[in-house]
Amino acid sequence: MDLYAQVLVSGLLLGGVYALISIGLNLIFGVVRIINFAHGEMVMLSMYLTFWLNYFFGLDPYLSALIVLPVMFAFGFLFQLFVVQPILSTSATMKIFTTVGISLLLQNLALIMWKGDFRSVQTSYSMSSIEVFEIIISVPRLVAFGAALASIIFLYCFLKYTYMGKALRAIVEDHSVARLMGVSVEKHYLFAFGLGTMFTALGGVLLVPFSSVFPTVGITYTLVAFVVVVLGGLGSMSGTFLAGLFIGVVESFGGTFVSPALKEAIYFAIFILVLLVRPQGLFGQGKGTEEVGLK
Amino acid sequence: MKKKVLIFGMSLLLLLTGATGVFSAEKLEIGALYPISGSLALLGEESWRGAEIARLMRNEAGGIAGKEIVFVKGDASTVSAARSEAERLIEQQKVPAILGTYSSSRCMAASEVAARKGVAYFELGAIANAITTRGYNTIWRTNPTAADFSKAQIAFITEWYAPKLGKKPSEMRVSIAHEDSDYGTSVADSFSKMAEGAGVKIVSVEPYAANTSDLSSVIFRLRKAKPDIVMAVSYANDAILLSRQAYELKLKAPILGTGGGHSLQSFVDALGKEANGVLNVDFTQYATNENFAPGLKAFLALYKKTFNENPRSGHSLANYMGANIVFDIIEKTGGSFDVQNIREAAMAMDVPAGKTPTGWGVKFGEDGQNVKAMPLVTQWRDGKLVTVWPEGAAVMEPMIDQ
């Protein structure tokens, strides 16, 4: 019995990490409607930044968020301005090619600059865990889980109560109508990409205490983030959180009780089934938000 | 005037082509195919460094048959790149032989291209059994195979660990955790078969994808299986993840790795003191008895001089030893790369164990495999990877916490 509880807890913690990585993508994917295949590379860049800040200045990974987050906001902003904006009116295939290209470019730049070594930051809490009723909870993963929850609540309030947030939601629903209503769509795109990249960077920073950094670390996260965002529904922050947890728990139970080799296959199968029944995702806003960025 | 310029131009051209002609006659080109970008870049490059040092040393000593050795580099970043790069090296660069490759799947693809074109292929680092069992007579491998790794692991478990636990070999419970690509699967399979033959009980087999970000489910399954020891086949990142989560989730059994990720510096950098006690079967590492591996310290010094840092793993040493064997073979053929000549020279070679920097002897079988190559058991002790078994090669006794 306690094995089930332990597997559930591990799955939830893993899901928290997935949700954290996916929040930023939901903003970018949901608002700007671009399939950003370089998403994982943004995780990778933030992880490297955190690593080097620790390496050269001995900065604690959690503290380095104060530097990494603004830097990555600027990165996202500039990325939108110089890479995405010029190709915004082209076909979806074009956007895919561009972002896949950027993703490869960033991976190989990282390889040239920082080599293929697997780098880790050792902190006092890296491998610490607490035990509740004989269930082991990893501390850094718990922190990531908490950060995911906090980010979701923050973004939920932001999207619901601020003008900027309302404008972003309007763009998600229909960007042409939003433009007619006087929303400066391009300006909001810049902000959305910056904000999305910043939350992605938060994920990267919080991964560092328990995950190694290497040039191709982002690849796994790109895929899982897309699954989480589409499953949760575009524009729905709570959907992203719940979908993240769902994927984490499915992976954990599938891996433990079916086979570790099949854990990814199981959640992809469920993902396809959900899309067949509810194309807008489990918590999507309904009709019109089901198109997966392919206009 | 025009004519003069033309004549001058022509003679210049003649001079240049003539000069390069003389130049190339003094060079002996060999293709060097390794993954130097992409996900296997780290150890691919590390492997290349070993071969490169061997090349520099040999050139310093006068080259092969008086000719300077030149590597024409290829990048086997993926399996399909390995195939197309082998094609390019042979067709466009006209190399008469290729050495490499570190990765088994890339070697399988590239050596097949070479075999079809009748070009010699020297494998210095990939371990999949199938590389030398496909019936090609153009392939030679200097390093031990996956089967040799399994043999060493089982010998260690039955001859050293079982008596330590006061058990008979047939009472030993072993679990396997392996990454599920060609490499992990073939090593795990050959281990299972050999364990069965030795009467050792395999209590669970856990395959997983190497690029995963979580291995907690593997740990839970291992905890349920209650093995005496976990035999692991991992790349770099998953090796770290497996040990990290084994520690976090309190898996009691010790881990015995199979080359690859478990012997990397990044493994101990990531895990710190929790790496202590992790065992591994691998190519010869740097803390090995010098009497068993003469020339080991000299190689280490050369490496530091050439690359200004310590080796990241023993792959460079294995490739250094292998490349030297290749050069010795070509020396004997008088610089000829004809497959028949290479075969004769290779078959005539017989170096006893304990005479090379890896400690491996050299004796090629009919299939091109060096039957005197053998992996050693190493262990992480206070941040250093030391050889602990077998006795002649060891610098320390193995240690397992009960």
Side-chain angles (χ1 to χ4, degrees), chain A residues 3 6-7 10-11 14 18 108 111 115-122 126-129 131 136 138 140-141 208-212 214 216 219-221 251-252 254-264, chain B residues 36-39 41-42 45 49 180 205-209 211-218 220-221 223-224 236-237 240-241 243-245 247-250 264 266-274 309 312:
Chain A
L3 177 66
Q6 176 71 67
V7 173
S10 287
L14 180 64
Y18 287 166
N108 285 294
L111 186 63
K115 295 190 282 184
D117 294 82
F118 293 78
R119 301 173 191 271
S120 307
V121 171
Q122 270 208 52
S126 274
M127 287 201 273
S128 62
S129 50
E131 261 184 70
I136 303 160
S138 148
R141 282 174 193 265
V208 168
F210 59 91
S211 170
S212 306
F214 48 100
T216 50
I219 294 173
T220 349
Y221 293 116
E251 186 177 329
S252 192
T256 308
F257 297 108
V258 184
S259 162
L262 288 177
K263 63 193 174 97
E264 284 90 1
Chain B
I36 44 180
S37 73
S39 55
L42 174 67
E45 212 249 344
R49 284 182 175 189
D180 61 2
V205 181
E206 318 294 352
Y208 63 83
N211 61 3
T212 188
S213 58
D214 183 78
L215 286 174
S216 57
S217 46
V218 171
F220 294 139
R221 291 172 73 96
R223 269 180 21 178
K224 239 177 12 181
N237 190 46
I240 296 172
L241 202 58
S243 280
R244 196 192 284 274
Q245 293 197 305
Y247 174 78
E248 266 174 19
L249 300 172
K250 303 197 162 57
L264 287 178
S266 59
F267 182 81
V268 73
D269 285 347
L271 294 168
K273 62 181 193 324
E274 307 313 337
E309 60 180 331
R312 275 93 41 108

Side-chain angles (χ1 to χ4, degrees), chain B residues 84-370:
Chain B
S84 58
E85 284 287 90
E87 198 99 29
R88 180 182 69 84
L89 288 173
I90 297 168
E91 290 299 330
Q92 289 170 28
Q93 304 287 336
K94 307 278 180 215
V95 299
I98 296 178
L99 56 78
T101 326
Y102 164 61
S103 148
S104 292
S105 51
R106 284 145 179 86
C107 169
M108 294 287 276
S111 58
E112 196 182 303
V113 172
R116 248 188 289 121
K117 298 180 190 294
V119 167
Y121 200 101
F122 299 100
E123 182 52 53
L124 319 180
I127 66 169
N129 295 332
I131 289 171
T132 43
T133 58
R134 290 171 297 174
Y136 294 139
N137 58 2
T138 53
I139 296 167
W140 289 270
R141 169 159 58 182
T142 53
N143 60 283
T145 65
D148 296 327
F149 274 64
S150 305
K151 216 185 290 167
Q153 281 170 323
I154 289 162
F156 176 73
I157 290 169
T158 53
E159 290 167 27
W160 187 85
Y161 192 35
K164 264 278 178 291
L165 292 180
K167 287 186 171 186
K168 287 192 210 100
S170 58
E171 293 165 344
M172 292 298 285
R173 299 168 62 85
V174 180
S175 279
I176 302 175
H178 69 88
E179 66 87 31
D180 61 2
S181 80
D182 217 8
Y183 161 61
T185 313
S186 67
V187 174
D189 280 353
S190 99
F191 180 85
S192 296
K193 272 193 210 110
M194 244 181 252
E196 222 169 272
V200 172
K201 200 160 153 209
I202 305 291
V203 289
S204 79
V205 181
E206 318 294 352
Y208 63 83
N211 61 3
T212 188
S213 58
D214 183 78
L215 286 174
S216 57
S217 46
V218 171
I219 305 294
F220 294 139
R221 291 172 73 96
L222 289 174
R223 269 180 21 178
K224 239 177 12 181
K226 296 195 174 62
D228 290 314
I229 191 162
V230 177
M231 182 278 205
V233 196
S234 316
Y235 282 119
N237 190 46
D238 48 326
I240 296 172
L241 202 58
L242 190 72
S243 280
R244 196 192 284 274
Q245 293 197 305
Y247 174 78
E248 266 174 19
L249 300 172
K250 303 197 162 57
L251 175 71
K252 295 283 186 301
I255 291 176
L256 172 61
T258 314
H262 285 98
S263 48
L264 287 178
Q265 184 60 36
S266 59
F267 182 81
V268 73
D269 285 347
L271 294 168
K273 62 181 193 324
E274 307 313 337
N276 226 11
V278 172
L279 292 152
N280 190 18
V281 171
D282 205 346
F283 294 165
T284 310
Q285 302 294 318
Y286 299 101
T288 298
N289 198 332
E290 180 90 10
N291 295 330
F292 174 77
L296 186 71
K297 294 235 161 62
F299 171 77
L300 210 51
L302 278 172
Y303 190 103
K304 278 186 204 164
K305 205 181 92 195
T306 317
F307 297 107
N308 286 322
E309 60 180 331
N310 281 319
R312 275 93 41 108
S313 76
H315 290 87
S316 43
L317 179 66
N319 277 263
Y320 170 76
M321 179 270 182
N324 271 321
I325 300 300
V326 173
F327 298 157
D328 288 347
I329 293 173
I330 304 303
E331 185 76 63
K332 270 201 220 152
T333 64
S336 157
F337 284 96
D338 181 82
V339 173
Q340 201 46 49
N341 294 347
I342 291 178
R343 167 158 295 269
E344 276 163 24
M347 292 303 281
M349 234 178 193
D350 194 356
V351 182
K355 296 283 177 217
T356 61
T358 51
W360 304 337
V362 184
K363 181 75 203 159
F364 288 101
E366 278 299 327
D367 54 0
Q369 174 60 40
N370 176 12

Side-chain angles (χ1 to χ4, degrees), chain A residues 91-246:
Chain A
S91 68
T93 340
M94 186 69 184
K95 294 173 188 160
I96 291 175
F97 281 142
T98 309
T99 56
V100 167
I102 297 272
S103 148
L104 289 174
L105 177 76
L106 290 176
Q107 276 172 32
N108 285 294
L109 273 182
L111 186 63
I112 292 167
M113 288 191 296
W114 306 314
K115 295 190 282 184
D117 294 82
F118 293 78
R119 301 173 191 271
S120 307
V121 171
Q122 270 208 52
T123 59
S124 55
Y125 48 81
S126 274
M127 287 201 273
S128 62
S129 50
I130 44 177
E131 261 184 70
V132 184
F133 301 117
E134 291 185 13
I135 293 168
I136 303 160
I137 302 171
S138 148
V139 172
R141 282 174 193 265
L142 188 65
V143 170
F145 184 92
L149 192 60
S151 305
I152 296 290
I153 293 170
F154 170 81
L155 277 174
Y156 180 81
C157 295
F158 173 78
L159 288 174
K160 189 137 193 173
Y161 299 114
T162 65
Y163 171 78
M164 197 89 159
K166 284 178 190 163
L168 288 178
R169 276 194 299 141
I171 294 173
V172 172
E173 262 179 46
D174 193 324
H175 61 92
S176 324
V177 175
R179 196 191 299 275
L180 288 174
M181 297 297 125
V183 175
S184 160
V185 174
E186 273 72 27
K187 210 177 79 192
H188 282 86
Y189 277 174
L190 286 174
F191 181 74
F193 216 108
L195 197 66
T197 312
M198 193 179 89
F199 277 100
T200 308
L202 179 65
V205 168
L206 298 183
L207 274 176
V208 168
F210 59 91
S211 170
S212 306
V213 192
F214 48 100
T216 50
V217 67
I219 294 173
T220 349
Y221 293 116
T222 306
L223 207 56
V224 81
F226 273 105
V227 173
V228 168
V229 168
V230 175
L231 199 60
L234 292 189
S236 167
M237 286 301 145
S238 49
T240 295
F241 187 66
L242 293 175
L245 297 190
F246 177 70

